[in-house]
Amino acid sequence: MSLYGSLIIRLREKTNPWLAPLRRMRMNCPIPIIISNNCWAGHVYRYYGWLPYPTPTVGLYFFADDYIRFLQRLEYYLQQPIRFITWQQSKYADTLKQRGETEVPIGMLDDVEIVFLHYHSQQEVLQKWERRKSRMDPRHIVVKLSEMNGCTYAHLKAFDALPFEHKFVFTKKPHPELHSAVYYKGYENSQQIDNDTTYFRRGINLRRFFLKMRE
């Protein structure tokens, strides 16, 4: 992330406590239970002051293949206990080493791998995962993906076919044939969307999207 991007996030985090109540007043909708492939959900919750987190998928990320599998059997995987592996045991060991993430807790839900990027210990992972999972309300689930971490067009199509009423995927190019695609500008010539958290509202009107949950 660039220095400019870091400054934007720092400024937003400092002003969120003051501005979030005003944003919530304009929103006036159920708190969404965001299932996210990465840290995006945490930025949304802090922006609107929807705390404590009502979902376990914050402060972490999935590789695309694991995330699609997780969503295809969401209820099953949420019931599975987390077991931990070393970075050398990961399917993505080379990528983790390249990213300097060899000290990050890596958990498994059966055959789904999760990189708990912003957690300091396995104990913290277990405590927060279970606590946040217990707050989930299945009536208000929103599912989000971004074209990153090995995401291919096949993954985009598989996501588009998932039977969730409220879902969207940030894509680096327009995909009018995909009902859930949201064009995230700025990465047209890149391998993937490298950062969807600095400008987490790019391409989508979140207020309008969340308000549809009342209908």
Side-chain angles (χ1 to χ4, degrees), residues 112-126:
V112 166
E113 186 170 325
I114 308 174
V115 182
F116 289 91
L117 184 63
H118 297 298
Y119 293 76
H120 300 97
S121 67
Q122 295 179 2
Q123 183 180 11
E124 182 186 11
V125 168
L126 293 174

Side-chain angles (χ1 to χ4, degrees), residues 118-188:
H118 297 298
Y119 293 76
H120 300 97
S121 67
Q122 295 179 2
Q123 183 180 11
E124 182 186 11
V125 168
L126 293 174
Q127 290 176 345
K128 291 186 176 179
W129 179 270
E130 293 300 324
R131 184 166 67 241
R132 293 167 178 171
K133 187 174 68 173
S134 69
R135 301 184 186 124
M136 292 182 65
D137 185 339
R139 297 172 299 174
H140 305 305
I141 286 181
V142 171
V143 180
K144 173 264 177 191
L145 170 65
S146 283
E147 195 174 352
M148 57 175 54
N149 294 320
C151 185
T152 65
Y153 185 70
H155 292 125
L156 298 181
K157 289 185 66 176
F159 181 86
D160 203 52
L162 291 170
F164 293 98
E165 182 178 2
H166 306 289
K167 65 183 178 185
F168 66 92
V169 51
F170 286 132
T171 60
K172 59 190 181 69
K173 294 182 179 180
H175 285 286
E177 75 282 9
L178 300 178
H179 298 294
S180 58
V182 173
Y183 177 28
Y184 194 93
K185 295 182 179 181
Y187 292 94
E188 295 80 3

Side-chain angles (χ1 to χ4, degrees), residues 10 15 41 57 65 69 76 87 93-95 103 159 165 181 210:
R10 288 177 61 185
T15 58
T57 59
D65 204 52
R69 191 161 57 252
Y76 167 77
W87 72 269
D94 291 343
T95 301
E103 301 297 322
F159 181 86
E165 182 178 2
F210 292 143

